Amino acid sequence: MRYAFPPPPVIALPIAGSEVRFPVRRIFCVGRNYAAHAREMGGDPDREPPFFFTKPRDAVVEDGAEIPYPPLTRALHHEAELVVAIGHGGFAIPEERALEHVFGYAAGIDLTRRDLQRALRAKGRPWDWAKAFDRSAPVGPIRTAKEIGHPSRGRITLAVDGEVRQDQDLADMIWRVPEIVALLSRAVRIAPGDLVFTGTPAGVGPLAPGDRVTARIEGVGSCTIRILAGGEG
Ligand code: MN
């Protein structure tokens, strides 16, 4: 096969303790999965069905990435999240079998142009531009479920220059991983390489150029990024 120009590169994440990398297919994200965060966003923390949004696969950056402050915002926010890495595809997966489809887990940061999100929401427009921008999906090394099991509790924190801003427990998630995978797979067929950001706890807030940002999940790992001055595209 010849192409008009070189095809886009495979986007892949390191797997802790392995030379093999995890090739990324799609990125799904759950909105509002911790009651305290739902409240701080002005929403209802009741157990409504979770909603999903997506980011493009090439929004993924690795642990250690330097991220220029993005355009179209003056309120770039951090959201620490447990990221589920899918290893086996399927459609309409029953909740009891959902964990069989999980390859592993990582700590991730759902970077968000919060001011833009609020403006879009107020106009009833799609969120894409607030969530799906370049380098908006930092993800740490993936730990396999074979190695760490399926964490349902454990401290999830986010620190900016060492100061902890988000600090909750995976046990506080409204929708658990098996429920999320089952529900997602009823909407679209999931496939190996999919990543699912599972929502953020309370304490989201703004980042500035120069900030060093670390999301950490007990028993899973961490992801550190540095925010640079903007304008580099
Ligand atoms: Mn999020």
Side-chain angles (χ1 to χ4, degrees), residues 31-48:
R32 287 189 201 158
N33 200 24
Y34 292 76
H37 174 62
R39 279 192 293 269
E40 79 180 348
M41 291 298 292
D44 182 349
D46 282 351
R47 210 163 182 273
E48 297 174 352

Side-chain angles (χ1 to χ4, degrees), residues 24-101:
V24 177
R25 189 189 78 122
R26 290 186 186 170
I27 308 172
F28 301 100
C29 309
V30 178
R32 287 189 201 158
N33 200 24
Y34 292 76
H37 174 62
R39 279 192 293 269
E40 79 180 348
M41 291 298 292
D44 182 349
D46 282 351
R47 210 163 182 273
E48 297 174 352
F51 62 93
F52 293 91
F53 59 92
T54 60
K55 293 181 186 248
R57 101 177 91 198
D58 65 357
V60 165
V61 292
E62 290 183 27
D63 183 42
E66 299 192 316
I67 299 179
Y69 198 94
L72 301 189
T73 186
R74 303 182 75 174
L76 175 67
H77 271 209
H78 55 76
E79 298 190 354
E81 307 201 7
L82 174 70
V83 178
V84 179
I86 299 295
H88 296 284
F91 181 76
I93 299 161
E95 198 182 305
E96 321 79 78
R97 310 215 61 170
L99 293 181
E100 297 169 21
H101 295 258

